[in-house]
Amino acid sequence: MTKEYVILPEPKMNFNKHKYRWNGFGYVPSTNEYKVVLMYKVPNFVEVMMYTLGSGNGWRNIGKFQLKMNYVFKGHGIFLNGALHWGHSTGSLILVFDLADEIFREHLLSPPPQPRSWLFKDLGVSNGFLFCASAHRSYIQYKRWDCDIWIYKKKNDNEQNEQYPSLGWTKEFILSEGQQPLAFTKSGGVLIYGSNYL
């Protein structure tokens, strides 16, 4: 959008030799810094490298983090509220990495409740909220796959405790067969696309 770009130097280690790797990009308002994160899985831990744009420090090795299960996450991190989010390939959890503190958040985020036959589709951001799109077999026609769009937000708009609001997943949309979410409108709608339409 700004037509600005930066070509980052190659990390000293061969990042591409690792089968399981993830990346992300985000902004830390408290320090006015943009950060690029590279993660890769080696047996029993995940190693994290970071590049802070404009720092002149190059790639820094943040460290090795031991995680409790066999983590295989999907592609690019989704940036929201100072953290990057990756969905597990099975959809069983969401990994959260805090950019300011440069650590994994203590509690992994659980995905929304799902029916038995479902496929994890995607994570994204809608109007400042994390959303999860998941496909499942239609309740009306078994051979058809529908897509649910869930938003992670305050469970109740009249929440009394604003400092520690109760957050949870709310199903906002159900898309019929072949429809995929593309973007969300300011009025709260969803722009969808199919094989031959928008």
Side-chain angles (χ1 to χ4, degrees):
M1 292 176 66
T2 64
K3 296 186 170 67
E4 295 178 274
Y5 65 91
V6 175
I7 298 175
L8 302 183
E10 290 285 332
K12 290 182 180 177
M13 53 80 61
N14 184 1
F15 185 65
N16 292 323
K17 75 177 182 181
H18 296 280
K19 181 178 179 182
Y20 301 117
R21 55 190 187 271
W22 315 276
N23 56 60
F25 173 73
Y27 174 69
V28 182
S30 60
T31 57
N32 192 30
E33 293 176 318
Y34 290 90
K35 294 184 177 183
V36 179
V37 177
L38 298 179
M39 299 185 188
Y40 55 94
K41 181 182 178 296
V42 293
N44 303 320
F45 63 87
V46 171
E47 189 151 352
V48 180
M49 298 181 71
M50 185 167 299
Y51 189 97
T52 303
L53 275 70
S55 69
N57 295 329
W59 287 100
R60 294 180 292 123
N61 192 323
I62 301 302
K64 297 177 181 179
F65 297 85
Q66 192 161 13
L67 302 175
K68 293 180 180 178
M69 65 174 286
N70 184 21
Y71 289 94
V72 179
F73 293 93
K74 295 180 72 174
H76 304 290
I78 301 300
F79 177 72
L80 179 67
N81 297 332
L84 291 166
H85 302 73
W86 290 269
H88 191 273
S89 58
T90 65
S92 57
L93 53 83
I94 297 168
L95 182 68
V96 184
F97 187 83
D98 190 289
L99 280 180
D101 296 333
E102 300 183 351
I103 57 171
F104 290 102
R105 293 218 175 138
E106 185 176 345
H107 300 291
L108 297 170
L109 184 60
S110 296
Q114 302 292 347
R116 277 188 183 177
S117 59
W118 72 282
L119 296 171
F120 177 80
K121 295 291 283 184
D122 209 357
L123 284 178
V125 174
S126 164
N127 294 332
F129 296 104
L130 189 69
F131 79 81
C132 179
S134 61
H136 62 85
R137 292 200 182 275
S138 171
Y139 300 115
I140 299 168
Q141 185 178 353
Y142 184 74
K143 290 184 178 180
R144 192 178 85 186
W145 287 82
D146 292 341
C147 184
D148 293 342
I149 308 295
W150 296 78
I151 307 287
Y152 192 71
K153 61 183 182 179
K154 284 194 299 186
K155 289 183 179 178
N156 185 348
D157 289 337
N158 299 320
E159 188 70 52
Q160 297 296 318
N161 189 347
E162 289 295 328
Q163 187 175 0
Y164 300 103
S166 178
L167 298 173
W169 292 101
T170 302
K171 190 188 295 186
E172 297 284 328
F173 303 98
I174 300 174
L175 308 180
S176 61
E177 182 178 19
Q179 296 176 338
Q180 300 290 325
L182 179 64
F184 292 84
T185 66
K186 289 182 180 179
S187 62
V190 60
L191 186 64
I192 59 175
Y193 68 96
S195 57
N196 59 356
Y197 64 90
L198 180 65

